[in-house]
Amino acid sequence: MNSRETLQRTETMLLNLGPSHPSTHGVLRVLLELDGELILRADPDIGYLHRGIEKMCEYRTYHRCMPLMNRLDYLAGEVNLFGFCLAMEKLLGIEVPKRAQYVRVMLAELTRIASHLFWLGTHGHDLGAMTPLFYAFREREKIMDLCEMVSGARMFPLYFRIGGLAADLPEGFIQAAWDFVKTFPEKHKDYHALLTKNQIWIERTKGVGVMSPEEVLDWGWSGPMARGSGVNWDLRRDNPYSSYEEFDFVVPLGKNGDTYDRYLVRMEEMLQANRIVRQALEKLADTEPGDIKAKDPRVSLPKKDAVYNDIAGLINHFKIIQEGIVPPKGEVYQCIEAPKGEMGFYIVSDGTPQPFRLKIRGPSFINLSAMDKLARGRLLADAIALIGTMDIVLADVDR
Amino acid sequence: MMNQLPILIILTFVKIMLVLVVFLTCIAYTVLMERKVLGFIQLRLGPNRVGPWGLLQPLADAIKLLFKEEFTPPGVNKVLFVLAPIITAVPAFLPLAAIPFASQILPDTLTIYGYKVDLAAAGLNQGVIADINVGLLYVFAMGSLSVYGAVLGGWASNNKYSLLGGLRLSAQMISYEMTLGLSVIGVLMLSGSLSLVKIVEAQKSMWFIFYQPLGFLLFLTAAFAECARTPFDLIECENELVAGYQTEYSSMKYGVFMMGEYGHILVASALATTLFLGGWQGPVLPPIVWFMGKTFALVFFFIWVRGTFPRFRFDQLMKLGWKVMLPLCLVNILFTGVIIQFLQR
Amino acid sequence: MSKAAELLQEKFPEEVVEVTEFRGETTITVKPGRIVDICKTLRDTPETSFKYLSMVAGLDYLPQSPRFGVVYNLYSHRNHNRVTLKTLLADDNSPAIDSVVPVWSTANWHEREAYDMMGIRFKGHPDLRRILMPADWVGHPQRKDYPLRGK
């Protein structure tokens, strides 16, 4: 190599973005190959939060799997549980009372708002706007309070049960939920005021991470990520579960499939979720309090009266507690519209109280897999915007 | 006359020290002000544990920084690594020498122990340390020196994030120094002098912001970029580069960087006050209050913007600098020149 | 019987092993040999148009032989229905199947995960590395003979 060639030789730089970095939303590590600030290759390296939940579930009864489900997408704990319970109910072939269905819908939608609020705050912060985070947390805090009212826990509420709910709504919950529902649309205007028309925000997000509808299907994107590209698909509407068909809501769609459109879609989804909560509260008024568990002896504990005075009741109680819930042999796939996309549970049962195989389809995992495709040829700052718009939760990616 | 020299030197020294102490205190309280104002914007309280309303917080911060471990990571260029914070901070203080903060603070002559000291001879009675006739050039020259500290720090840290931060900084500074320099040409055309005192005196009847609104806007924007503040804080944005060129710095070295940074903000605000807002001039209140009030109003504006705006991307920043702001500066100069010519006829 | 099952029985009569319905879900068990063709057919035929791959999961039926299986869950945005494809892999010691990444890009990470967790090799996969476990990990954690904790 002569001296001139030595002088002209250029080298790319490998940058280790993460696993501890301010904007990797957990423990994501992205190996970036950079030419200056231009990204030549982005290789997400995941697994830092892999806890082997799928494996652990194979050694637990179905009931004891449930606390693990909360730890998937921990920003929407209730929603994961929702999906798992629905899958179990499908496997068992049981119908949940209407009241329980409405309560589930209500809490799932509240959690959707909370999850989107968290996304709004962190996404804004990733792009340098630090104030939306605090405004978003103001409302999220109220939703956390509601979760705490029903279950005693804020991040990991264990309120749903296979076949219904753990208990009926506590006193004062309906009022508190109404307070939230009525005030939220006003507060929602604050978020729009902070970012939506800001020229810098528009410049940073428009045209970044563009996906065409065909690419969205090819890459398996779901939820707001798919709808941002104009894919008209919402599991709540197209494959309704838990009485979603009774609710009236609009599925917002984007046009360009870029970060800005996904931002608008999620913003509108919050308002629509708020509408669903409002309808659920109205519908709840017509249901009978206390009717929250399916009348199926395989999943519901008998009344205390029957346990103490009746041998059949005692045996039933004993079997559920000691042995657990025993579904029939078979396999089901049930998915729900989680805040981040399609959250699916594939349960293979061999007729024992433990799942033979439990596969969790986490939306964050799939959304993140398109990172390399989107980041190539963009600038370093865009990679941060992409991580933000994907709305990943590493606990959901790594499971 | 000869025997006055030692007294004049001592008095000058005292004056410099006084200004420096006041300036350092201002830096400390700018940090507190930033945290308080940001807290107010963001529905938080801000620091409120140390002293009443958190007023002693800067002291606590300083003590904390002093007692932190002074960590030098392996593989760094030690000399440059230590030198970089100093190179950043010192030039941030130096422009202060030429910025006038009041008209006249002492009488022309002073009698000390029977000696009659002629203060006017050394300019000691003026509200400025040194009224040099190329004041503005001096301020700009000093201001751009501090870039080297950050660039060197970024390079010496042996960290890729720091390096990227340093690189971004050098490109950003080159682009925006042009705008900064050109945006004040209009003011110079109006005042006809580079001396900052003269510029302030020229604004006796009307502040230059009313003659030069575009110039003021361009100057302020460029100042934001020069101080690397949101929305131009690309060199240290935590979401991309962890902390940019400061990533590997800890303890008081980090503290000195911070002092330089906030010193920069204060100097930029003071300069904007001097050039466009009539400096110390104002009715009723003493000049120093007017000067400080205007400066801190601008500092508040700096903080307000930080609480509101997202951050630019690097290429957008460069585009804004070269394709929008630079042409606007030239247009501003052209118009100012045409109007001055027109009025003189 | 669902459209997908009818289509496969018509086009690949010797590949379809079994069609089961459980809780309203159709599971089609097929032989692993022509999985890519089967997937392409399901994707490109207008009546089925399964353009979306929801998930790929590896299965380990340890005492049984064939031991390993792969499950594909497909979704059609046109008909809003699902179908589950299931294959059982012949070789118990080094299970392998053709990769469906050419059909759906999203299969990339799913298959990497199945490889990581179950040790199933996907032939023709562009980048078959471990994804969740460290690169130098020994063993495949979700196999049934892999202990839950310790050794």
Side-chain angles (χ1 to χ4, degrees), chain A residues 14 16 23 37 125 127 131, chain B residues 160-161 168 238-239 307 311:
Chain A
L14 275 183
N16 228 338
S23 56
E37 295 226 3
H125 193 246
L127 298 189
T131 306
Chain B
K160 287 170 185 170
Y161 291 115
R168 279 181 175 192
E238 56 165 35
N239 309 89
R311 180 182 301 124

Side-chain angles (χ1 to χ4, degrees), chain B residues 282-343:
Chain B
V284 189
L285 295 169
I288 186 81
V289 176
W290 274 107
F291 178 75
M292 293 286 253
K294 287 171 188 170
T295 304
F296 274 95
L298 283 173
V299 170
F300 175 81
F301 185 68
F302 269 80
I303 300 166
W304 186 11
V305 167
R306 184 177 174 198
T308 317
F309 277 124
R311 180 182 301 124
F312 275 112
R313 202 170 60 206
F314 191 61
D315 58 330
Q316 293 166 348
L317 174 105
M318 294 311 247
K319 252 180 224 157
L320 183 74
W322 289 103
K323 293 192 180 164
V324 180
M325 295 196 25
L326 196 61
L328 277 179
C329 278
L330 297 174
V331 168
N332 187 41
I333 294 168
L334 188 73
F335 268 83
T336 313
V338 167
I339 290 170
I340 288 175
Q341 278 297 317
F342 186 73
L343 288 178

Side-chain angles (χ1 to χ4, degrees), chain A residues 131-197:
Chain A
T131 306
L133 183 76
F134 294 92
Y135 280 77
F137 268 50
R138 177 183 61 184
E139 266 66 62
R140 183 173 178 268
E141 191 63 21
K142 288 186 186 148
I143 297 173
M144 295 282 109
D145 287 345
L146 288 173
C147 283
E148 193 179 349
M149 276 178 98
V150 293
S151 67
R154 290 158 58 84
M155 289 283 274
F156 306 114
L158 256 178
Y159 181 54
F160 296 171
R161 291 286 186 276
I162 298 165
L165 305 169
D168 206 352
L169 291 172
E171 221 171 288
F173 179 87
I174 297 285
Q175 190 52 48
W178 268 118
D179 287 347
F180 175 81
V181 165
K182 280 178 184 158
T183 53
F184 182 72
E186 256 326 292
K187 303 281 170 77
H188 189 268
K189 285 179 188 154
D190 285 354
Y191 314 141
H192 272 305
L194 278 166
L195 288 178
T196 308
K197 295 227 172 83

Side-chain angles (χ1 to χ4, degrees), chain B residues 161-189:
Chain B
Y161 291 115
S162 305
L163 181 65
L164 278 175
L167 285 175
R168 279 181 175 192
L169 182 75
S170 39
Q172 181 173 335
M173 290 304 148
I174 289 168
S175 319
Y176 280 82
E177 222 133 73
M178 299 276 287
T179 313
L180 196 70
L182 289 175
S183 64
V184 297
I185 300 281
V187 169
L188 299 183
M189 288 158 100

Side-chain angles (χ1 to χ4, degrees), chain A residues 163-397:
Chain A
L165 305 169
D168 206 352
L169 291 172
E171 221 171 288
F173 179 87
I174 297 285
Q175 190 52 48
W178 268 118
D179 287 347
F180 175 81
V181 165
K182 280 178 184 158
T183 53
F184 182 72
E186 256 326 292
K187 303 281 170 77
H188 189 268
K189 285 179 188 154
D190 285 354
Y191 314 141
H192 272 305
L194 278 166
L195 288 178
T196 308
K197 295 227 172 83
N198 187 314
Q199 194 57 40
I200 301 177
W201 178 257
I202 292 172
E203 280 195 22
R204 280 301 303 275
T205 52
K206 261 210 186 304
V208 176
V210 181
M211 281 287 249
S212 71
E214 292 76 35
E215 283 168 334
V216 161
L217 296 193
D218 187 35
W219 282 93
W221 274 11
S222 50
M225 300 293 286
R227 289 192 284 274
S229 299
V231 176
N232 194 353
W233 178 44
D234 191 318
L235 286 165
R236 293 174 294 176
R237 184 194 62 198
D238 298 331
N239 302 82
Y241 51 92
S242 194
S243 299
Y244 261 115
E245 66 277 6
E246 297 171 18
F247 292 89
D248 174 33
F249 60 96
V250 179
V251 178
L253 293 177
K255 277 200 198 94
N256 308 322
D258 56 13
T259 304
Y260 187 67
D261 278 19
R262 289 190 281 272
Y263 160 79
L264 290 179
V265 164
R266 287 199 178 100
M267 291 293 271
E268 181 57 27
E269 265 183 26
M270 281 194 256
L271 281 184
Q272 294 301 331
N274 195 54
R275 270 181 73 198
I276 299 177
V277 177
R278 179 184 280 267
Q279 292 168 42
L281 282 167
E282 281 162 2
K283 283 180 201 294
L284 268 179
D286 303 334
T287 57
E288 195 185 327
D291 187 19
I292 47 145
K293 202 82 195 263
K295 309 258 174 314
D296 191 304
R298 287 174 300 171
V299 295
S300 294
L301 290 173
K303 290 218 163 59
K304 278 284 174 233
D305 192 37
V307 177
Y308 290 137
N309 302 317
D310 182 3
I311 184 68
L314 181 64
I315 290 172
N316 189 356
H317 187 99
F318 187 75
K319 291 254 312 171
I320 291 180
I321 299 292
Q322 285 303 107
E323 198 180 67
I325 294 165
V326 188
K329 217 170 159 174
E331 48 202 71
V332 291
Y333 180 82
Q334 173 69 43
C335 57
I336 56 162
E337 184 72 31
K340 294 171 177 64
E342 176 193 343
M343 182 99 192
F345 292 87
Y346 176 67
I347 302 178
V348 181
S349 158
D350 55 354
T352 58
Q354 291 93 22
F356 179 77
R357 171 90 168 94
L358 174 65
K359 160 79 185 172
I360 300 155
R361 186 228 190 256
S364 301
F365 179 74
I366 310 306
N367 294 347
L368 184 63
S369 66
M371 177 80 192
D372 182 50
K373 173 189 156 42
L374 294 179
R376 260 171 213 246
R378 311 286 320 190
L379 292 172
L380 177 61
D382 288 333
I384 307 296
L386 285 174
I387 295 172
T389 190
M390 279 173 186
D391 193 14
I392 48 168
V393 164
L394 265 293
D396 189 27
V397 174

Side-chain angles (χ1 to χ4, degrees), chain B residues 5-292:
Chain B
L5 196 58
I7 299 174
L8 284 178
I9 289 174
I10 290 167
L11 281 178
T12 307
F13 189 71
V14 168
K15 188 177 172 186
I16 290 172
M17 273 299 131
L18 262 176
V19 170
L20 201 60
V21 165
V22 170
F23 184 62
L24 286 175
T25 317
C26 282
I27 288 179
Y29 278 90
T30 304
V31 177
L32 180 70
M33 178 177 163
E34 164 146 63
R35 294 171 69 179
K36 274 285 187 193
V37 172
L38 274 185
F40 169 70
I41 292 173
Q42 298 169 345
L43 315 165
R44 301 184 280 121
L45 288 173
N48 64 347
R49 297 286 116 179
V50 194
W53 306 290
L55 279 178
L56 297 179
Q57 186 69 38
L59 202 66
D61 284 347
I63 292 170
K64 187 196 83 170
L65 281 173
L66 278 171
F67 280 91
K68 284 235 165 179
E69 186 193 353
E70 191 93 20
F71 182 71
T72 309
V76 304
N77 185 329
K78 288 231 172 62
V79 179
L80 292 179
F81 188 73
V82 177
L83 210 59
I86 301 163
I87 298 180
T88 308
V90 172
F93 299 161
L94 289 179
L96 213 62
I99 297 177
F101 48 86
S103 52
Q104 194 171 351
I105 48 171
L106 290 169
D108 284 349
T109 51
L110 202 63
T111 315
I112 303 172
Y113 295 117
Y115 284 112
K116 210 166 176 211
V117 184
D118 184 13
L119 290 175
L124 272 172
N125 58 342
Q126 297 293 314
V128 59
I129 291 172
D131 177 19
I132 27 182
N133 55 6
V134 287
L136 194 60
L137 275 184
Y138 164 78
V139 169
F140 279 162
M142 285 301 135
S144 35
L145 270 184
S146 63
V147 181
Y148 294 103
V151 175
L152 284 178
W155 183 77
S157 291
N158 192 25
N159 178 315
K160 287 170 185 170
Y161 291 115
S162 305
L163 181 65
L164 278 175
L167 285 175
R168 279 181 175 192
L169 182 75
S170 39
Q172 181 173 335
M173 290 304 148
I174 289 168
S175 319
Y176 280 82
E177 222 133 73
M178 299 276 287
T179 313
L180 196 70
L182 289 175
S183 64
V184 297
I185 300 281
V187 169
L188 299 183
M189 288 158 100
L190 288 171
S191 67
S193 169
L194 276 168
S195 155
L196 290 167
V197 176
K198 294 253 165 58
I199 291 176
V200 173
E201 279 163 359
Q203 300 179 61
K204 202 145 208 156
S205 55
M206 183 69 94
W207 295 355
F208 281 159
I209 182 173
F210 297 110
Y211 295 133
Q212 289 282 318
L214 183 62
F216 178 67
L217 213 65
L218 291 167
F219 178 83
L220 210 59
T221 316
F224 269 89
E226 283 285 298
C227 300
R229 292 283 297 182
T230 316
F232 305 102
D233 59 339
L234 290 117
I235 51 165
E236 49 185 271
C237 52
E238 56 165 35
N239 309 89
E240 288 157 35
L241 300 183
V242 189
Y245 63 90
Q246 306 166 350
T247 305
E248 297 289 355
Y249 282 91
S250 60
S251 183
M252 211 47 213
K253 287 208 277 281
Y254 173 78
V256 171
F257 261 135
M258 276 290 145
M259 262 157 63
E261 200 166 293
Y262 282 90
H264 242 275
I265 295 172
L266 273 172
V267 165
S269 302
L271 197 61
T273 306
T274 307
L275 293 177
F276 292 98
L277 300 179
W280 72 77
Q281 295 179 10
V284 189
L285 295 169
I288 186 81
V289 176
W290 274 107
F291 178 75
M292 293 286 253

